[in-house]
Amino acid sequence: MPPAQTSVPHPAIVSPAVKQEPRDGGHHGKVSSPVEKAKDDRPHIKKPLNAFMLYMKEQRAKVVSECTLKESAAINQILGRRWHSLSREEQAKYYDLARKERQLHSQLYPGWSARDNYGKRKKRKRDNGKCDSAEVSAGPFSPPCVLTPPQERAPTHTHLTHTHLSQASPASSLDSPATPTTALASPAAPAPTHTDHPHPHQGESSSAYAEQVQPLSLITKPNRAGRDHPLHTPQPPAPQPSYLHPHPLIRSGAKISGPQSSSSFSSSHPHYSPHMVSARSRTPPIFSRSFPLPPMSAPPPTSTTAAHHQSEQSLHCALTQSQPLSLVTRTKN
DNA sequence: TTCCCTTTGAAGTAA
DNA sequence: TTACTTCAAAGGGAA
């Protein structure tokens, strides 16, 4: 059943096609079943933005102006770092916003599934033209193009390795939350008192930890039917939050000017996402092309290429504005 | 003209 | 249940 298109033109709907979408859906000659055909005819409903995407949208312009950078890849790197340097309260705002996004999205498009968009974009290039299977094996500590048997490359507890531990040095701002946050001790969440354990593997019981700090996603997942964890009382059908009026996804204007209205951060701790680790590591970080950042703990800048120059600029920008260099782990030996 | 890059998070699939 | 994959934004750069 097509998601009963409400009269509300939700910005998630992209009229013509997804950006970059290969014409004809990219499935030339394969539009066999009428079902697929019907699918193609349906308007493309975009995924709701997640917390980081909302943050990016809001902050991108600022970073661009501050850093005089234009390339999104570089900007996103900076934003990614800044994201981690945000206090938990600040991040919680975006998680909260994103959660409401999803709620609204699911209300507008009850039948919509992220799966509907699968294949709408060109399949990601994964082989980089070389060592096609190495992409899965090459972590930050593996040389690119070195095949590693699955048994070896994935220690059973890789999921405990926080993404940013592998990508960023432990000195990353994650370890230095601005404040022990009372916000997270939301009415819904059972006041976590740890706050100084940003990384689960620092403690013994990751599960116990997880219950306290994992982001909403990890809580809702096992409970998808309910959409939200029971503890996270899904902001009752309450009147639409003020910031939703100019809905963040609504292109016609009003970008989210900051979710100042979020009264309580009912979302759980947004900082940690253990399950993201492996997924991230699938892509051997390559900065070779445009942003060859210096390897971690290998500061000596030796390159004089323009690209490197640019990366240094972006780095500098990021450093001077957010945090000490630490996560430039784009090691590339 | 089209895809890649780069980031994190949500949700999907496969085993 | 775990691991992995895809897509969401964005725009310069490469093919």
PDB file of all heavy atoms in Angstrom, chain A residues 20 76 95 115 124-125 217 280 286 330, chain B residues 3-13:
ATOM      1  N   GLN A  20      21.258  12.204  -8.014  1.00  0.00           N
ATOM      2  CA  GLN A  20      22.162  11.179  -8.516  1.00  0.00           C
ATOM      3  C   GLN A  20      21.454   9.923  -8.953  1.00  0.00           C
ATOM      4  O   GLN A  20      22.071   8.960  -9.347  1.00  0.00           O
ATOM      5  CB  GLN A  20      23.180  10.747  -7.459  1.00  0.00           C
ATOM      6  CG  GLN A  20      23.974  11.894  -6.940  1.00  0.00           C
ATOM      7  CD  GLN A  20      24.859  11.437  -5.832  1.00  0.00           C
ATOM      8  OE1 GLN A  20      24.790  10.291  -5.402  1.00  0.00           O
ATOM      9  NE2 GLN A  20      25.732  12.286  -5.366  1.00  0.00           N
ATOM     10  N   ASN A  76      32.448  17.924   6.030  1.00  0.00           N
ATOM     11  CA  ASN A  76      31.824  16.878   6.826  1.00  0.00           C
ATOM     12  C   ASN A  76      32.791  16.300   7.839  1.00  0.00           C
ATOM     13  O   ASN A  76      32.391  15.864   8.910  1.00  0.00           O
ATOM     14  CB  ASN A  76      31.293  15.781   5.915  1.00  0.00           C
ATOM     15  CG  ASN A  76      30.120  16.269   5.097  1.00  0.00           C
ATOM     16  OD1 ASN A  76      29.577  17.332   5.348  1.00  0.00           O
ATOM     17  ND2 ASN A  76      29.741  15.501   4.107  1.00  0.00           N
ATOM     18  N   TYR A  95      19.358  14.589  18.734  1.00  0.00           N
ATOM     19  CA  TYR A  95      18.762  13.254  18.781  1.00  0.00           C
ATOM     20  C   TYR A  95      17.261  13.363  19.013  1.00  0.00           C
ATOM     21  O   TYR A  95      16.464  12.621  18.451  1.00  0.00           O
ATOM     22  CB  TYR A  95      19.396  12.423  19.891  1.00  0.00           C
ATOM     23  CG  TYR A  95      20.708  11.823  19.490  1.00  0.00           C
ATOM     24  CD1 TYR A  95      21.911  12.429  19.824  1.00  0.00           C
ATOM     25  CD2 TYR A  95      20.754  10.646  18.751  1.00  0.00           C
ATOM     26  CE1 TYR A  95      23.121  11.886  19.449  1.00  0.00           C
ATOM     27  CE2 TYR A  95      21.950  10.093  18.372  1.00  0.00           C
ATOM     28  CZ  TYR A  95      23.134  10.710  18.724  1.00  0.00           C
ATOM     29  OH  TYR A  95      24.325  10.175  18.346  1.00  0.00           O
ATOM     30  N   ARG A 115      13.616   0.674   3.033  1.00  0.00           N
ATOM     31  CA  ARG A 115      13.911  -0.261   1.960  1.00  0.00           C
ATOM     32  C   ARG A 115      13.408   0.265   0.621  1.00  0.00           C
ATOM     33  O   ARG A 115      13.925  -0.091  -0.431  1.00  0.00           O
ATOM     34  CB  ARG A 115      13.251  -1.597   2.288  1.00  0.00           C
ATOM     35  CG  ARG A 115      13.485  -2.680   1.286  1.00  0.00           C
ATOM     36  CD  ARG A 115      12.873  -3.969   1.823  1.00  0.00           C
ATOM     37  NE  ARG A 115      12.966  -5.037   0.848  1.00  0.00           N
ATOM     38  CZ  ARG A 115      12.105  -5.213  -0.139  1.00  0.00           C
ATOM     39  NH1 ARG A 115      11.118  -4.367  -0.283  1.00  0.00           N
ATOM     40  NH2 ARG A 115      12.253  -6.205  -0.978  1.00  0.00           N
ATOM     41  N   ARG A 124      26.904   2.114  -4.254  1.00  0.00           N
ATOM     42  CA  ARG A 124      28.169   2.691  -3.849  1.00  0.00           C
ATOM     43  C   ARG A 124      29.321   1.904  -4.410  1.00  0.00           C
ATOM     44  O   ARG A 124      29.296   0.692  -4.448  1.00  0.00           O
ATOM     45  CB  ARG A 124      28.267   2.654  -2.339  1.00  0.00           C
ATOM     46  CG  ARG A 124      27.720   3.858  -1.683  1.00  0.00           C
ATOM     47  CD  ARG A 124      28.170   3.806  -0.253  1.00  0.00           C
ATOM     48  NE  ARG A 124      28.878   5.012   0.084  1.00  0.00           N
ATOM     49  CZ  ARG A 124      28.311   5.954   0.815  1.00  0.00           C
ATOM     50  NH1 ARG A 124      27.115   5.816   1.230  1.00  0.00           N
ATOM     51  NH2 ARG A 124      29.004   7.020   1.113  1.00  0.00           N
ATOM     52  N   LYS A 125      30.237   2.636  -4.799  1.00  0.00           N
ATOM     53  CA  LYS A 125      31.449   1.976  -5.266  1.00  0.00           C
ATOM     54  C   LYS A 125      32.184   1.438  -4.063  1.00  0.00           C
ATOM     55  O   LYS A 125      32.428   2.141  -3.112  1.00  0.00           O
ATOM     56  CB  LYS A 125      32.333   2.963  -5.987  1.00  0.00           C
ATOM     57  CG  LYS A 125      33.626   2.345  -6.454  1.00  0.00           C
ATOM     58  CD  LYS A 125      34.454   3.370  -7.164  1.00  0.00           C
ATOM     59  CE  LYS A 125      35.750   3.572  -6.407  1.00  0.00           C
ATOM     60  NZ  LYS A 125      36.579   4.596  -7.001  1.00  0.00           N
ATOM     61  N   SER A 217      18.723   4.602  18.967  1.00  0.00           N
ATOM     62  CA  SER A 217      18.601   3.537  17.983  1.00  0.00           C
ATOM     63  C   SER A 217      18.754   2.174  18.617  1.00  0.00           C
ATOM     64  O   SER A 217      18.068   1.240  18.286  1.00  0.00           O
ATOM     65  CB  SER A 217      19.649   3.711  16.912  1.00  0.00           C
ATOM     66  OG  SER A 217      20.923   3.606  17.473  1.00  0.00           O
ATOM     67  N   ARG A 280      31.422   1.152   9.748  1.00  0.00           N
ATOM     68  CA  ARG A 280      32.283   2.238   9.330  1.00  0.00           C
ATOM     69  C   ARG A 280      33.597   1.711   8.776  1.00  0.00           C
ATOM     70  O   ARG A 280      34.127   2.222   7.833  1.00  0.00           O
ATOM     71  CB  ARG A 280      32.598   3.132  10.519  1.00  0.00           C
ATOM     72  CG  ARG A 280      31.420   3.828  11.044  1.00  0.00           C
ATOM     73  CD  ARG A 280      31.001   4.916  10.084  1.00  0.00           C
ATOM     74  NE  ARG A 280      29.658   5.329  10.393  1.00  0.00           N
ATOM     75  CZ  ARG A 280      28.630   4.985   9.658  1.00  0.00           C
ATOM     76  NH1 ARG A 280      28.786   4.270   8.588  1.00  0.00           N
ATOM     77  NH2 ARG A 280      27.433   5.359   9.989  1.00  0.00           N
ATOM     78  N   ILE A 286      40.075   6.586   3.082  1.00  0.00           N
ATOM     79  CA  ILE A 286      40.990   7.053   2.077  1.00  0.00           C
ATOM     80  C   ILE A 286      40.906   8.552   2.008  1.00  0.00           C
ATOM     81  O   ILE A 286      39.873   9.092   1.711  1.00  0.00           O
ATOM     82  CB  ILE A 286      40.618   6.529   0.703  1.00  0.00           C
ATOM     83  CG1 ILE A 286      39.884   5.218   0.888  1.00  0.00           C
ATOM     84  CG2 ILE A 286      41.825   6.363  -0.157  1.00  0.00           C
ATOM     85  CD1 ILE A 286      38.973   4.959  -0.232  1.00  0.00           C
ATOM     86  N   ARG A 330      43.199   9.028   9.606  1.00  0.00           N
ATOM     87  CA  ARG A 330      43.149   8.553   8.237  1.00  0.00           C
ATOM     88  C   ARG A 330      44.513   8.079   7.837  1.00  0.00           C
ATOM     89  O   ARG A 330      45.100   8.529   6.883  1.00  0.00           O
ATOM     90  CB  ARG A 330      42.697   9.680   7.322  1.00  0.00           C
ATOM     91  CG  ARG A 330      41.328  10.152   7.684  1.00  0.00           C
ATOM     92  CD  ARG A 330      40.528   8.956   7.990  1.00  0.00           C
ATOM     93  NE  ARG A 330      39.139   9.295   8.165  1.00  0.00           N
ATOM     94  CZ  ARG A 330      38.238   8.381   8.420  1.00  0.00           C
ATOM     95  NH1 ARG A 330      38.577   7.139   8.530  1.00  0.00           N
ATOM     96  NH2 ARG A 330      37.002   8.723   8.565  1.00  0.00           N
TER      97      ARG A 330
ATOM     98  P    DC B   3      25.150   7.814 -11.619  1.00  0.00           P
ATOM     99  OP1  DC B   3      24.725   6.437 -11.951  1.00  0.00           O
ATOM    100  OP2  DC B   3      24.234   8.754 -10.961  1.00  0.00           O
ATOM    101  O5'  DC B   3      26.478   7.719 -10.743  1.00  0.00           O
ATOM    102  C5'  DC B   3      27.621   7.098 -11.316  1.00  0.00           C
ATOM    103  C4'  DC B   3      28.861   7.465 -10.524  1.00  0.00           C
ATOM    104  O4'  DC B   3      29.095   8.880 -10.632  1.00  0.00           O
ATOM    105  C3'  DC B   3      28.771   7.158  -9.027  1.00  0.00           C
ATOM    106  O3'  DC B   3      29.890   6.370  -8.654  1.00  0.00           O
ATOM    107  C2'  DC B   3      28.791   8.521  -8.351  1.00  0.00           C
ATOM    108  C1'  DC B   3      29.522   9.378  -9.378  1.00  0.00           C
ATOM    109  N1   DC B   3      29.195  10.828  -9.324  1.00  0.00           N
ATOM    110  C2   DC B   3      30.224  11.766  -9.191  1.00  0.00           C
ATOM    111  O2   DC B   3      31.391  11.363  -9.121  1.00  0.00           O
ATOM    112  N3   DC B   3      29.919  13.076  -9.147  1.00  0.00           N
ATOM    113  C4   DC B   3      28.646  13.466  -9.238  1.00  0.00           C
ATOM    114  N4   DC B   3      28.392  14.777  -9.189  1.00  0.00           N
ATOM    115  C5   DC B   3      27.586  12.526  -9.377  1.00  0.00           C
ATOM    116  C6   DC B   3      27.906  11.227  -9.427  1.00  0.00           C
ATOM    117  P    DC B   4      29.994   5.815  -7.218  1.00  0.00           P
ATOM    118  OP1  DC B   4      30.491   4.422  -7.326  1.00  0.00           O
ATOM    119  OP2  DC B   4      28.761   6.118  -6.485  1.00  0.00           O
ATOM    120  O5'  DC B   4      31.163   6.711  -6.611  1.00  0.00           O
ATOM    121  C5'  DC B   4      32.380   6.834  -7.337  1.00  0.00           C
ATOM    122  C4'  DC B   4      33.330   7.745  -6.589  1.00  0.00           C
ATOM    123  O4'  DC B   4      32.901   9.121  -6.748  1.00  0.00           O
ATOM    124  C3'  DC B   4      33.396   7.477  -5.090  1.00  0.00           C
ATOM    125  O3'  DC B   4      34.759   7.447  -4.694  1.00  0.00           O
ATOM    126  C2'  DC B   4      32.667   8.657  -4.465  1.00  0.00           C
ATOM    127  C1'  DC B   4      32.865   9.764  -5.491  1.00  0.00           C
ATOM    128  N1   DC B   4      31.764  10.758  -5.542  1.00  0.00           N
ATOM    129  C2   DC B   4      32.042  12.118  -5.373  1.00  0.00           C
ATOM    130  O2   DC B   4      33.208  12.471  -5.172  1.00  0.00           O
ATOM    131  N3   DC B   4      31.024  13.014  -5.433  1.00  0.00           N
ATOM    132  C4   DC B   4      29.782  12.593  -5.661  1.00  0.00           C
ATOM    133  N4   DC B   4      28.802  13.510  -5.715  1.00  0.00           N
ATOM    134  C5   DC B   4      29.470  11.219  -5.837  1.00  0.00           C
ATOM    135  C6   DC B   4      30.487  10.339  -5.781  1.00  0.00           C
ATOM    136  P    DC B   5      35.127   6.837  -3.313  1.00  0.00           P
ATOM    137  OP1  DC B   5      36.425   6.171  -3.472  1.00  0.00           O
ATOM    138  OP2  DC B   5      33.953   6.106  -2.807  1.00  0.00           O
ATOM    139  O5'  DC B   5      35.327   8.115  -2.396  1.00  0.00           O
ATOM    140  C5'  DC B   5      36.275   9.103  -2.774  1.00  0.00           C
ATOM    141  C4'  DC B   5      36.031  10.350  -1.979  1.00  0.00           C
ATOM    142  O4'  DC B   5      34.801  10.953  -2.397  1.00  0.00           O
ATOM    143  C3'  DC B   5      35.890  10.085  -0.471  1.00  0.00           C
ATOM    144  O3'  DC B   5      36.957  10.721   0.194  1.00  0.00           O
ATOM    145  C2'  DC B   5      34.547  10.709  -0.097  1.00  0.00           C
ATOM    146  C1'  DC B   5      34.218  11.591  -1.293  1.00  0.00           C
ATOM    147  N1   DC B   5      32.769  11.723  -1.587  1.00  0.00           N
ATOM    148  C2   DC B   5      32.196  12.990  -1.673  1.00  0.00           C
ATOM    149  O2   DC B   5      32.904  13.977  -1.490  1.00  0.00           O
ATOM    150  N3   DC B   5      30.878  13.089  -1.962  1.00  0.00           N
ATOM    151  C4   DC B   5      30.151  11.988  -2.163  1.00  0.00           C
ATOM    152  N4   DC B   5      28.863  12.151  -2.448  1.00  0.00           N
ATOM    153  C5   DC B   5      30.726  10.695  -2.097  1.00  0.00           C
ATOM    154  C6   DC B   5      32.033  10.601  -1.810  1.00  0.00           C
ATOM    155  P    DT B   6      37.591   9.991   1.439  1.00  0.00           P
ATOM    156  OP1  DT B   6      38.911  10.587   1.655  1.00  0.00           O
ATOM    157  OP2  DT B   6      37.446   8.550   1.243  1.00  0.00           O
ATOM    158  O5'  DT B   6      36.646  10.429   2.645  1.00  0.00           O
ATOM    159  C5'  DT B   6      36.724  11.750   3.137  1.00  0.00           C
ATOM    160  C4'  DT B   6      35.487  12.111   3.888  1.00  0.00           C
ATOM    161  O4'  DT B   6      34.393  12.253   2.989  1.00  0.00           O
ATOM    162  C3'  DT B   6      35.006  11.063   4.879  1.00  0.00           C
ATOM    163  O3'  DT B   6      35.648  11.263   6.113  1.00  0.00           O
ATOM    164  C2'  DT B   6      33.506  11.339   4.967  1.00  0.00           C
ATOM    165  C1'  DT B   6      33.224  12.255   3.780  1.00  0.00           C
ATOM    166  N1   DT B   6      32.099  11.831   2.918  1.00  0.00           N
ATOM    167  C2   DT B   6      31.143  12.760   2.580  1.00  0.00           C
ATOM    168  O2   DT B   6      31.184  13.908   2.961  1.00  0.00           O
ATOM    169  N3   DT B   6      30.125  12.292   1.783  1.00  0.00           N
ATOM    170  C4   DT B   6      29.986  11.006   1.303  1.00  0.00           C
ATOM    171  O4   DT B   6      29.034  10.695   0.603  1.00  0.00           O
ATOM    172  C5   DT B   6      31.035  10.087   1.681  1.00  0.00           C
ATOM    173  C7   DT B   6      30.988   8.689   1.199  1.00  0.00           C
ATOM    174  C6   DT B   6      32.022  10.554   2.459  1.00  0.00           C
ATOM    175  P    DT B   7      35.505  10.088   7.211  1.00  0.00           P
ATOM    176  OP1  DT B   7      36.655  10.202   8.105  1.00  0.00           O
ATOM    177  OP2  DT B   7      35.207   8.806   6.554  1.00  0.00           O
ATOM    178  O5'  DT B   7      34.204  10.563   8.008  1.00  0.00           O
ATOM    179  C5'  DT B   7      34.209  11.819   8.661  1.00  0.00           C
ATOM    180  C4'  DT B   7      32.812  12.220   9.027  1.00  0.00           C
ATOM    181  O4'  DT B   7      32.070  12.452   7.830  1.00  0.00           O
ATOM    182  C3'  DT B   7      32.043  11.140   9.759  1.00  0.00           C
ATOM    183  O3'  DT B   7      32.270  11.248  11.139  1.00  0.00           O
ATOM    184  C2'  DT B   7      30.586  11.465   9.398  1.00  0.00           C
ATOM    185  C1'  DT B   7      30.683  12.262   8.092  1.00  0.00           C
ATOM    186  N1   DT B   7      30.095  11.577   6.914  1.00  0.00           N
ATOM    187  C2   DT B   7      29.082  12.209   6.217  1.00  0.00           C
ATOM    188  O2   DT B   7      28.661  13.287   6.537  1.00  0.00           O
ATOM    189  N3   DT B   7      28.589  11.510   5.157  1.00  0.00           N
ATOM    190  C4   DT B   7      29.014  10.260   4.725  1.00  0.00           C
ATOM    191  O4   DT B   7      28.495   9.727   3.759  1.00  0.00           O
ATOM    192  C5   DT B   7      30.077   9.664   5.493  1.00  0.00           C
ATOM    193  C7   DT B   7      30.609   8.327   5.111  1.00  0.00           C
ATOM    194  C6   DT B   7      30.561  10.341   6.540  1.00  0.00           C
ATOM    195  P    DT B   8      32.121   9.932  12.057  1.00  0.00           P
ATOM    196  OP1  DT B   8      32.827  10.166  13.321  1.00  0.00           O
ATOM    197  OP2  DT B   8      32.388   8.727  11.249  1.00  0.00           O
ATOM    198  O5'  DT B   8      30.548   9.963  12.352  1.00  0.00           O
ATOM    199  C5'  DT B   8      30.003  11.087  13.015  1.00  0.00           C
ATOM    200  C4'  DT B   8      28.497  10.962  13.091  1.00  0.00           C
ATOM    201  O4'  DT B   8      27.955  10.850  11.776  1.00  0.00           O
ATOM    202  C3'  DT B   8      28.030   9.724  13.875  1.00  0.00           C
ATOM    203  O3'  DT B   8      27.047  10.133  14.798  1.00  0.00           O
ATOM    204  C2'  DT B   8      27.462   8.802  12.803  1.00  0.00           C
ATOM    205  C1'  DT B   8      27.054   9.762  11.703  1.00  0.00           C
ATOM    206  N1   DT B   8      27.152   9.202  10.333  1.00  0.00           N
ATOM    207  C2   DT B   8      26.082   9.320   9.470  1.00  0.00           C
ATOM    208  O2   DT B   8      25.050   9.867   9.773  1.00  0.00           O
ATOM    209  N3   DT B   8      26.282   8.776   8.232  1.00  0.00           N
ATOM    210  C4   DT B   8      27.419   8.129   7.782  1.00  0.00           C
ATOM    211  O4   DT B   8      27.477   7.677   6.649  1.00  0.00           O
ATOM    212  C5   DT B   8      28.497   8.050   8.735  1.00  0.00           C
ATOM    213  C7   DT B   8      29.770   7.368   8.349  1.00  0.00           C
ATOM    214  C6   DT B   8      28.320   8.578   9.941  1.00  0.00           C
ATOM    215  P    DG B   9      26.474   9.075  15.826  1.00  0.00           P
ATOM    216  OP1  DG B   9      26.183   9.807  17.068  1.00  0.00           O
ATOM    217  OP2  DG B   9      27.324   7.877  15.846  1.00  0.00           O
ATOM    218  O5'  DG B   9      25.089   8.683  15.139  1.00  0.00           O
ATOM    219  C5'  DG B   9      24.175   9.729  14.841  1.00  0.00           C
ATOM    220  C4'  DG B   9      22.982   9.168  14.095  1.00  0.00           C
ATOM    221  O4'  DG B   9      23.368   8.782  12.764  1.00  0.00           O
ATOM    222  C3'  DG B   9      22.353   7.927  14.742  1.00  0.00           C
ATOM    223  O3'  DG B   9      20.952   8.116  14.798  1.00  0.00           O
ATOM    224  C2'  DG B   9      22.725   6.792  13.790  1.00  0.00           C
ATOM    225  C1'  DG B   9      22.837   7.523  12.464  1.00  0.00           C
ATOM    226  N9   DG B   9      23.733   6.902  11.491  1.00  0.00           N
ATOM    227  C8   DG B   9      25.010   6.454  11.701  1.00  0.00           C
ATOM    228  N7   DG B   9      25.581   5.972  10.624  1.00  0.00           N
ATOM    229  C5   DG B   9      24.608   6.124   9.642  1.00  0.00           C
ATOM    230  C6   DG B   9      24.633   5.798   8.264  1.00  0.00           C
ATOM    231  O6   DG B   9      25.558   5.274   7.610  1.00  0.00           O
ATOM    232  N1   DG B   9      23.464   6.123   7.634  1.00  0.00           N
ATOM    233  C2   DG B   9      22.368   6.706   8.238  1.00  0.00           C
ATOM    234  N2   DG B   9      21.316   6.953   7.466  1.00  0.00           N
ATOM    235  N3   DG B   9      22.328   7.019   9.525  1.00  0.00           N
ATOM    236  C4   DG B   9      23.478   6.702  10.165  1.00  0.00           C
ATOM    237  P    DA B  10      20.057   7.108  15.593  1.00  0.00           P
ATOM    238  OP1  DA B  10      19.184   7.936  16.432  1.00  0.00           O
ATOM    239  OP2  DA B  10      20.890   6.050  16.186  1.00  0.00           O
ATOM    240  O5'  DA B  10      19.176   6.447  14.440  1.00  0.00           O
ATOM    241  C5'  DA B  10      18.425   7.308  13.589  1.00  0.00           C
ATOM    242  C4'  DA B  10      17.803   6.504  12.466  1.00  0.00           C
ATOM    243  O4'  DA B  10      18.837   6.100  11.545  1.00  0.00           O
ATOM    244  C3'  DA B  10      17.095   5.228  12.925  1.00  0.00           C
ATOM    245  O3'  DA B  10      15.817   5.176  12.289  1.00  0.00           O
ATOM    246  C2'  DA B  10      18.013   4.106  12.453  1.00  0.00           C
ATOM    247  C1'  DA B  10      18.717   4.725  11.260  1.00  0.00           C
ATOM    248  N9   DA B  10      20.068   4.228  11.028  1.00  0.00           N
ATOM    249  C8   DA B  10      21.057   4.045  11.949  1.00  0.00           C
ATOM    250  N7   DA B  10      22.185   3.602  11.451  1.00  0.00           N
ATOM    251  C5   DA B  10      21.913   3.489  10.091  1.00  0.00           C
ATOM    252  C6   DA B  10      22.699   3.078   9.002  1.00  0.00           C
ATOM    253  N6   DA B  10      23.963   2.682   9.117  1.00  0.00           N
ATOM    254  N1   DA B  10      22.136   3.086   7.781  1.00  0.00           N
ATOM    255  C2   DA B  10      20.860   3.480   7.670  1.00  0.00           C
ATOM    256  N3   DA B  10      20.018   3.896   8.618  1.00  0.00           N
ATOM    257  C4   DA B  10      20.615   3.870   9.827  1.00  0.00           C
ATOM    258  P    DA B  11      14.798   4.069  12.709  1.00  0.00           P
ATOM    259  OP1  DA B  11      13.458   4.673  12.616  1.00  0.00           O
ATOM    260  OP2  DA B  11      15.258   3.417  13.956  1.00  0.00           O
ATOM    261  O5'  DA B  11      14.961   3.023  11.530  1.00  0.00           O
ATOM    262  C5'  DA B  11      14.855   3.491  10.197  1.00  0.00           C
ATOM    263  C4'  DA B  11      15.326   2.426   9.230  1.00  0.00           C
ATOM    264  O4'  DA B  11      16.753   2.285   9.328  1.00  0.00           O
ATOM    265  C3'  DA B  11      14.742   1.022   9.507  1.00  0.00           C
ATOM    266  O3'  DA B  11      14.284   0.479   8.285  1.00  0.00           O
ATOM    267  C2'  DA B  11      15.934   0.241  10.028  1.00  0.00           C
ATOM    268  C1'  DA B  11      17.062   0.922   9.261  1.00  0.00           C
ATOM    269  N9   DA B  11      18.382   0.720   9.833  1.00  0.00           N
ATOM    270  C8   DA B  11      18.750   0.787  11.146  1.00  0.00           C
ATOM    271  N7   DA B  11      20.031   0.555  11.349  1.00  0.00           N
ATOM    272  C5   DA B  11      20.535   0.321  10.079  1.00  0.00           C
ATOM    273  C6   DA B  11      21.821   0.016   9.617  1.00  0.00           C
ATOM    274  N6   DA B  11      22.872  -0.127  10.409  1.00  0.00           N
ATOM    275  N1   DA B  11      21.972  -0.150   8.283  1.00  0.00           N
ATOM    276  C2   DA B  11      20.909  -0.019   7.484  1.00  0.00           C
ATOM    277  N3   DA B  11      19.651   0.267   7.816  1.00  0.00           N
ATOM    278  C4   DA B  11      19.520   0.427   9.139  1.00  0.00           C
ATOM    279  P    DG B  12      13.178  -0.672   8.290  1.00  0.00           P
ATOM    280  OP1  DG B  12      11.957  -0.089   7.728  1.00  0.00           O
ATOM    281  OP2  DG B  12      13.180  -1.311   9.624  1.00  0.00           O
ATOM    282  O5'  DG B  12      13.771  -1.744   7.264  1.00  0.00           O
ATOM    283  C5'  DG B  12      14.052  -1.336   5.929  1.00  0.00           C
ATOM    284  C4'  DG B  12      15.289  -2.055   5.416  1.00  0.00           C
ATOM    285  O4'  DG B  12      16.400  -1.676   6.236  1.00  0.00           O
ATOM    286  C3'  DG B  12      15.230  -3.573   5.506  1.00  0.00           C
ATOM    287  O3'  DG B  12      14.808  -4.126   4.263  1.00  0.00           O
ATOM    288  C2'  DG B  12      16.658  -3.991   5.817  1.00  0.00           C
ATOM    289  C1'  DG B  12      17.377  -2.706   6.134  1.00  0.00           C
ATOM    290  N9   DG B  12      18.099  -2.772   7.388  1.00  0.00           N
ATOM    291  C8   DG B  12      17.642  -2.471   8.638  1.00  0.00           C
ATOM    292  N7   DG B  12      18.546  -2.623   9.575  1.00  0.00           N
ATOM    293  C5   DG B  12      19.668  -3.065   8.890  1.00  0.00           C
ATOM    294  C6   DG B  12      20.975  -3.395   9.366  1.00  0.00           C
ATOM    295  O6   DG B  12      21.386  -3.382  10.533  1.00  0.00           O
ATOM    296  N1   DG B  12      21.813  -3.785   8.337  1.00  0.00           N
ATOM    297  C2   DG B  12      21.457  -3.838   7.010  1.00  0.00           C
ATOM    298  N2   DG B  12      22.399  -4.239   6.161  1.00  0.00           N
ATOM    299  N3   DG B  12      20.253  -3.523   6.544  1.00  0.00           N
ATOM    300  C4   DG B  12      19.415  -3.148   7.540  1.00  0.00           C
ATOM    301  P    DT B  13      14.478  -5.649   4.181  1.00  0.00           P
ATOM    302  OP1  DT B  13      13.679  -5.840   2.936  1.00  0.00           O
ATOM    303  OP2  DT B  13      13.958  -6.088   5.485  1.00  0.00           O
ATOM    304  O5'  DT B  13      15.917  -6.320   3.981  1.00  0.00           O
ATOM    305  C5'  DT B  13      16.719  -5.944   2.862  1.00  0.00           C
ATOM    306  C4'  DT B  13      18.036  -6.710   2.898  1.00  0.00           C
ATOM    307  O4'  DT B  13      18.779  -6.328   4.082  1.00  0.00           O
ATOM    308  C3'  DT B  13      17.872  -8.228   2.944  1.00  0.00           C
ATOM    309  O3'  DT B  13      18.692  -8.814   1.943  1.00  0.00           O
ATOM    310  C2'  DT B  13      18.333  -8.616   4.348  1.00  0.00           C
ATOM    311  C1'  DT B  13      19.282  -7.485   4.716  1.00  0.00           C
ATOM    312  N1   DT B  13      19.353  -7.200   6.174  1.00  0.00           N
ATOM    313  C2   DT B  13      20.555  -7.343   6.822  1.00  0.00           C
ATOM    314  O2   DT B  13      21.578  -7.700   6.267  1.00  0.00           O
ATOM    315  N3   DT B  13      20.506  -7.045   8.161  1.00  0.00           N
ATOM    316  C4   DT B  13      19.420  -6.633   8.885  1.00  0.00           C
ATOM    317  O4   DT B  13      19.500  -6.404  10.089  1.00  0.00           O
ATOM    318  C5   DT B  13      18.181  -6.500   8.137  1.00  0.00           C
ATOM    319  C7   DT B  13      16.943  -6.054   8.820  1.00  0.00           C
ATOM    320  C6   DT B  13      18.214  -6.780   6.834  1.00  0.00           C
TER     321       DT B  13
END
